[in-house]
Amino acid sequence: MMSGLKNRKWMIGCIAATIVAAGLAITSVALNNQVNELKKESAMQLNAEWYQVYRLSEIVDKNYIKDDFQDPVRYQLFVNQTAHHFAQAAKANELTVNMRNLLTLTYDPLFQELSLEDGPKNKEEATKLLTAMNDDIMLISQSIVEMQDKEKEKLLNPKSSEFRKLNDQAKAAYEKYKELVDNYFKTNP
């Protein structure tokens, strides 16, 4: 009688443990699916933010730079809004902060200088600087936009090699153009 009761308790315990394990497995699978879905959504958001920067550089290149720097006032608000929208909308990490700084602290002020009613103080230097900066912005943003979805998901991890590579490019571009734009404004007061 006692051994039958022990066997029954042991059987009930095994069944309970199996039910708990199955529940945990189902919960684990559901959570994993949610994490994967969130990664995809974050990668899509990242793509949208960087696509906007790419389009900015592309439009400036095709419609302003290749049009011999005509009518900068027409593009001034577009450049300003895009630069500052990226600064506010992009998820803050080292890469986006470096690009935000490049856009808002160097690109936008230089474009504003080119948009002055009387023209920039040194149009040749300003246009040369804007062209080079626009090329670098286009290169960085295009490389992100053209990545496969799985690669974009890797950009969500600041420790990934993809993130570090692009961050190094954005940081170098920001530091380079910050110095050049500062020197431009110092030598052309």
Side-chain angles (χ1 to χ4, degrees):
M1 185 76 128
M2 277 296 221
S3 70
L5 187 58
K6 281 185 179 180
N7 285 340
R8 189 171 280 169
K9 284 183 180 179
W10 186 80
M11 174 103 64
I12 291 171
C14 286
I15 291 170
T18 302
I19 291 171
V20 168
L24 289 173
I26 291 169
T27 303
S28 177
V29 168
L31 288 174
N32 189 43
N33 288 342
Q34 268 186 322
V35 166
N36 288 336
E37 193 60 36
L38 289 172
K39 280 182 183 178
K40 286 179 185 175
E41 287 177 25
S42 293
M44 286 174 34
Q45 179 66 29
L46 176 138
N47 188 62
E49 293 158 357
W50 285 94
Y51 182 75
Q52 188 176 37
V53 172
Y54 173 69
R55 286 294 296 153
L56 164 72
S57 61
E58 185 181 50
I59 288 170
V60 168
D61 183 59
K62 288 180 180 178
N63 300 315
Y64 177 64
I65 294 172
K66 289 184 177 161
D67 193 25
D68 200 30
F69 303 95
Q70 299 299 310
D71 199 14
V73 174
R74 179 176 176 197
Y75 300 100
Q76 179 186 9
L77 184 59
F78 172 67
V79 168
N80 182 266
Q81 286 181 333
T82 303
H84 289 276
H85 178 265
F86 180 82
Q88 295 170 347
K91 181 182 175 192
N93 59 41
E94 193 177 356
L95 172 60
T96 58
V97 167
N98 283 319
M99 182 55 75
R100 178 199 69 199
N101 290 342
L102 178 61
L103 291 169
T104 61
L105 300 177
T106 60
Y107 191 78
D108 186 40
L110 186 62
F111 206 92
Q112 287 179 21
E113 168 80 1
L114 285 161
S115 302
L116 293 174
E117 192 173 311
D118 297 337
K121 294 176 180 57
N122 185 338
K123 185 173 182 176
E124 183 180 334
E125 184 181 350
T127 55
K128 184 178 177 183
L129 187 53
L130 182 81
T131 301
M133 193 181 327
N134 195 71
D135 287 347
D136 283 348
I137 290 169
M138 186 183 298
L139 180 70
I140 294 166
S141 59
Q142 183 178 22
S143 65
I144 292 172
V145 169
E146 290 179 351
M147 285 181 161
Q148 298 298 317
D149 290 342
K150 286 292 182 186
E151 291 175 302
K152 288 176 187 162
E153 288 179 22
K154 290 178 183 177
L155 286 180
L156 301 173
N157 178 2
K159 294 180 181 178
S160 72
S161 61
E162 292 84 352
F163 181 94
R164 300 297 329 147
K165 177 184 170 198
L166 287 166
N167 182 56
D168 289 346
Q169 288 176 336
K171 184 177 182 180
Y174 167 64
E175 290 171 353
K176 171 184 171 183
Y177 292 112
K178 177 72 174 138
E179 183 177 337
L180 291 171
V181 169
D182 284 350
N183 287 340
Y184 170 83
F185 283 113
K186 285 177 187 172
T187 58
N188 300 292

